[in-house]
Amino acid sequence: AEQTYDVVVIGAGGAGFSAAIEAKSAGANVVLLEKMPAVGGNTLISGGEMNAPDNWVERALGITDDTADLFYNDTMKGGDNLGDPKMVRILADNALTSAEWLRDEIKVEFLPDHLFQFGGHSRKRALIPVGHTGVELITKLKAKTDADRITIKTNMKAETLLKDESGKVTGVTATSGTGDKITFHANKGVIIATGGFGSNVEMRKKYNPKMDEKYMSTDTPGSTGDGIVMAETIGAKLTNMENIQTYPICNPETGVISLVADSRFDGAILINQEGKRFVEELERRDVISKAILAQTGGYTYQLWNQGIADIGKTIEVHQDEYDQLVKQGLLFKADTIEEAANFFKIDVNTLKETINKVNDYAKTGKDLDFKHRGGLKSLEKGPYYIEKAVPSVHHTMGGLVIDEKTRVLNEKGEVIPGLFAAGEVTGVIHGANRLGGNAIADIFTFGRIAGKQVVAE
Ligand code: ADP
């Protein structure tokens, strides 16, 4: 069968949704293709937090010295300067506008009085959607596409990009859940928003042999790099492909990211089996992951108390995950340090020493061991929570090379006409390592640009 639209968007995560909505509002007839039975991608199952420098919640909390320049510097440095400076600049200058768009146009609700400071950020600048997950984002985006009457086709896997004689991309072939082959023609262009390849072990190993089967993944099964392969087949250039990020704090049995453990951003500490801290808890994800793998058994324990739990309420907002972890014996609530130590057979005296030091550092505001950038919190009072965790593949920094207008470039650095890309499928922003809260800022900033640009060209 054949169908014709102005714009074909491949992948219904945050990048694809925002591209589709912008293209539609610019007057295009749009179809959004999603290979899974449900929309949302990794955006849906993420924490949903979004960095935006100098945002309204920062101001409400009295943080008045954040700027796009600081955010730019953090992001470049966090990726070992392997991001494309001009693209990171666009992210830094537009992240706040993207957040305001989500708030005002898409009606996403962000917490009015709480922010996260993710690892590698010099300011507390990550907005938190209500519920602390991407569900709020995707639910509202879906409502907006419904209101705008944008056609979404789930169970529709895009497979091959089509080109005309001039080399312009004119559409894509796809297979439906029932095996029907459909060609989607695009009068204006195709936007690839298929996300990363964290769930594709073969592809991970192809680009970075270390990222093999020993790692589980936090990603949805749909994150198999389809868009990268499709575009590469027609000559697209790839970059940063070897840079694959593990998230340090995941369920040791399933690989699923632990959002209960977001208490780390409110002051939870990390200790090893011996009961000692071994890394700054707000370090970059790659640094923490590496440090964890170097400890006995290749795992860590995250420890916090009720005082810290009450700040971000991560247990209440992620109650299902909490109950699951308790049931699996991977998280334990203890009245005392002794109980916490005994549950996981950690040496009680060493753990007590560690905690005494943390309490001292909390008082002086100076972490003499690891220079905790958020300032440690006192762990004097119980009850305590202790959770076992391992690193798991989370984000693939590499992908397609796009220009300022999100146009996909070929090996020679020339524009492939009619082809655009945004989100995790691109490889130009995060360099060696993506900072927390930067994926959501990235996908909405460039998803929106792609949606406008495909219509403008
Ligand atoms: P981003 O954060 O960049 O928006 P997500 O992971 O949130 O990325 O979303 C990407 C979406 O693309 C997922 O829902 C995934 O199932 C979908 N997808 C991946 N490959 C294909 C494909 N070949 N055809 C259609 N949809 C795809």
Side-chain angles (χ1 to χ4, degrees):
E2 317 251 333
Q3 299 189 17
T4 302
Y5 294 84
D6 296 327
V7 176
V8 176
V9 182
I10 311 173
F17 265 109
S18 55
I21 290 166
E22 288 291 10
K24 175 78 184 192
S25 98
N29 185 15
V30 182
V31 68
L32 179 53
L33 310 181
E34 169 55 54
K35 74 171 170 182
M36 302 299 282
V39 298
N42 280 329
T43 307
L44 179 76
I45 61 169
S46 75
E49 289 88 10
M50 173 176 193
N51 294 309
D54 197 23
N55 68 60
W56 63 96
V57 181
E58 285 183 296
R59 287 172 177 232
L61 298 178
I63 302 165
T64 54
D65 61 350
D66 194 12
T67 62
D69 284 349
L70 282 177
F71 179 41
Y72 170 87
N73 290 337
D74 289 347
T75 302
M76 285 301 298
K77 186 165 168 243
D80 291 335
N81 294 308
L82 291 176
D84 179 341
K86 66 177 187 301
M87 300 302 286
V88 176
R89 193 74 242 177
I90 294 175
L91 172 71
D93 289 345
N94 291 279
L96 179 57
T97 317
S98 307
E100 288 168 346
W101 177 79
L102 285 172
R103 183 194 63 186
D104 300 337
E105 300 292 321
I106 310 300
K107 311 295 178 204
V108 168
E109 275 185 62
F110 292 101
L111 302 185
D113 53 2
H114 193 46
L115 295 167
F116 279 153
Q117 180 172 4
F118 283 111
H121 288 279
S122 60
R123 294 290 181 282
K124 219 177 215 229
R125 59 164 75 98
L127 297 159
I128 307 169
V130 298
H132 295 223
T133 73
V135 171
E136 168 70 8
L137 303 174
I138 294 297
T139 306
K140 297 288 168 71
L141 287 161
K142 177 70 171 57
K144 175 71 175 158
T145 53
D146 289 347
D148 289 355
R149 281 181 272 125
I150 293 171
T151 307
I152 300 180
K153 296 192 183 286
T154 50
N155 287 310
M156 188 62 75
K157 181 170 188 271
E159 281 162 343
T160 311
L161 293 165
L162 306 171
K163 270 184 175 181
D164 65 14
E165 314 83 71
S166 75
K168 181 175 189 275
V169 172
T170 56
V172 67
T173 64
T175 302
S176 78
T178 49
D180 298 327
K181 303 273 177 203
I182 303 170
T183 298
F184 291 92
H185 297 283
N187 293 329
K188 288 276 186 187
V190 173
I191 300 173
I192 303 181
T194 48
F197 59 97
S199 296
N200 186 337
V201 180
E202 288 311 313
M203 191 161 170
R204 272 164 29 191
K205 287 199 290 192
K206 173 174 173 188
Y207 291 103
N208 185 337
K210 282 192 214 133
M211 293 294 157
D212 62 10
E213 290 81 0
K214 75 172 171 292
Y215 289 99
M216 291 176 285
S217 173
T218 66
D219 296 343
T220 59
S223 305
T224 47
D226 301 9
I228 295 174
V229 175
M230 261 188 271
E232 190 188 24
T233 306
I234 63 157
K237 182 180 163 80
L238 310 183
T239 190
N240 282 321
M241 291 298 289
E242 67 283 13
N243 298 329
I244 297 175
Q245 173 174 84
T246 55
Y247 189 84
I249 311 296
C250 302
N251 184 314
E253 280 169 28
T254 62
V256 169
I257 191 169
S258 175
L259 297 177
V260 166
D262 279 350
S263 55
R264 183 162 57 95
F265 311 115
D266 297 320
I269 61 166
L270 298 177
I271 54 170
N272 57 21
Q273 184 61 48
E274 289 72 34
K276 290 190 177 148
R277 284 176 75 214
F278 55 90
V279 70
E280 190 222 339
E281 288 79 359
L282 294 188
E283 249 295 3
R284 287 163 39 159
R285 292 169 174 180
D286 53 346
V287 176
I288 300 180
S289 296
K290 211 168 152 209
I292 292 172
L293 293 177
Q295 306 308 306
T296 305
Y299 55 80
T300 185
Y301 297 109
Q302 181 167 313
L303 183 111
W304 67 104
N305 67 358
Q306 194 61 46
I308 291 170
D310 288 340
I311 301 172
K313 306 216 166 31
T314 62
I315 295 171
E316 286 90 331
V317 289
H318 304 295
Q319 189 71 48
D320 288 352
E321 187 205 330
Y322 178 85
D323 294 343
Q324 179 65 31
L325 287 168
V326 170
K327 211 166 92 196
Q328 289 178 293
L330 296 169
L331 194 158
F332 184 67
K333 181 176 182 179
D335 286 326
T336 62
I337 298 289
E338 285 83 357
E339 259 182 59
N342 288 337
F343 186 80
F344 285 116
K345 302 190 168 52
I346 299 167
D347 183 72
V348 179
N349 290 326
T350 316
L351 184 57
K352 277 189 171 166
E353 263 170 49
T354 299
I355 291 192
N356 286 338
K357 272 205 248 175
V358 168
N359 294 341
D360 287 346
Y361 300 158
K363 263 186 218 128
T364 61
K366 276 215 172 98
D367 170 9
L368 297 180
D369 291 330
F370 297 101
K371 298 198 174 59
H372 193 285
R373 73 197 76 190
L376 287 162
K377 300 249 163 49
S378 169
L379 292 169
E380 247 158 306
K381 272 206 220 127
Y384 299 93
Y385 299 91
I386 184 163
E387 175 183 345
K388 187 174 180 181
V390 299
S392 175
V393 167
H394 185 54
H395 188 96
T396 47
M397 273 72 70
L400 304 177
V401 177
I402 54 169
D403 70 3
E404 294 98 316
K405 295 177 170 173
T406 72
R407 299 179 297 191
V408 176
L409 304 185
N410 70 14
E411 276 293 349
K412 293 187 202 142
E414 301 156 345
V415 169
I416 301 176
L419 189 61
F420 302 77
E424 193 177 347
V425 71
T426 67
V428 289
I429 300 292
H430 309 290
N433 167 66
R434 175 175 70 75
L435 296 184
N438 270 7
I440 302 292
D442 170 9
I443 65 180
F444 290 115
T445 297
F446 292 99
R448 292 187 65 210
I449 294 174
K452 290 181 204 168
Q453 195 58 38
V454 66
V455 182
E457 297 245 319

